[in-house]
């Protein structure tokens, strides 16, 4: 006999923090040029970045620019060292393919802004950087380098649905036992397990 596990409230809690609309990576399609968002390990980001720099008048430094994947980055999506002309990208960006091109351009904007400013000291995400973002096609870029890496671990990959009330329940793990909708079991079966309300995996 399958056990009714009263998980509804736990479900609700998980659902509350797992709403992908709030934590999902923003979709950048339409903002950045197509073609750079394919997350393949052999992505030639360095070439892309050099071409962008060159096309925006920074030919002098374009060939010095290097782009690396650096697994020492934790929550930051990317990092830039203007002196070394080095852009470091977090390999976890592969979990957010749409963010790869955007992060590259975000970091590139730091380099372009500093190049244009010469020896003048500029603030990291100030006017010069914002102008560079516009020139690089990411006019709406925010200052934050962080990706929702941490939040992503809360996003429940399993969605169960009650066949009766159609309510969805999000779960981080696959259910190992038969679980029925508590609300429907209470309403129609005195709170006892009822296979008619057994949750079904829909995703
Ligand atoms: Zn930045
Ligand atoms: Zn139900």
């Amino acid at each position: 006999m399958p056990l009714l596990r009263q998980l509804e409230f736990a479900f609700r809690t998980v659902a509350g923090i797992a709403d992908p609309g709030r934590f999902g990576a923003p979709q950048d399609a339409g903002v950045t040029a197509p073609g750079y968002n394919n997350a393949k390990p052999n992505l030639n980001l360095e070439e892309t970045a050099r071409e962008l720099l060159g096309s925006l008048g920074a030919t002098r430094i374009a060939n010095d620019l290097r782009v690396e994947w650096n697994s020492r980055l934790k929550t930051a999506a990317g990092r830039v060292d203007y002196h070394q002309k080095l852009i470091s990208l977090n390999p976890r960006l592969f979990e957010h393919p749409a963010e790869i091109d955007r992060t590259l351009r975000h970091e590139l904007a730091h380099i372009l802004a500093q190049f244009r400013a010469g020896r003048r000291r500029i603030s990291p995400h100030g006017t010069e950087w914002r102008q560079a973002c516009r020139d690089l096609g990411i006019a709406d870029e925010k200052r934050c380098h962080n990706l929702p890496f941490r939040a992503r671990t809360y996003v429940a990959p399993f969605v169960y649905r009650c066949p009766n009330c159609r309510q969805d329940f999000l779960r981080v793990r696959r259910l190992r036992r038969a679980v029925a909708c508590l609300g429907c079991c209470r309403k129609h079966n005195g709170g006892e397990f009822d296979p008619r309300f057994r949750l079904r995996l829909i995703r």
Side-chain angles (χ1 to χ4, degrees), residues 12-63:
R12 280 178 197 267
T13 313
V14 174
I17 56 168
D19 178 4
R22 273 190 289 150
F23 286 104
Q27 291 305 302
D28 300 321
V31 177
T32 52
Y36 299 128
N37 288 338
N38 309 315
K40 292 182 190 137
N42 62 351
L43 251 192
N44 202 340
L45 296 172
E46 198 167 81
E47 193 178 34
T48 300
R50 286 176 175 185
E51 278 169 12
L52 282 167
L53 269 190
S55 73
L56 288 164
T59 27
R60 187 162 60 77
I61 57 164
N63 284 336

Side-chain angles (χ1 to χ4, degrees), residues 78 80 106-107 110 124-125 129 141-145:
V80 65
H106 176 119
E107 305 306 338
H110 286 298
H125 298 106
W129 176 80
E141 178 65 355
K142 291 178 220 65
R143 294 144 185 251
C144 178
H145 291 246

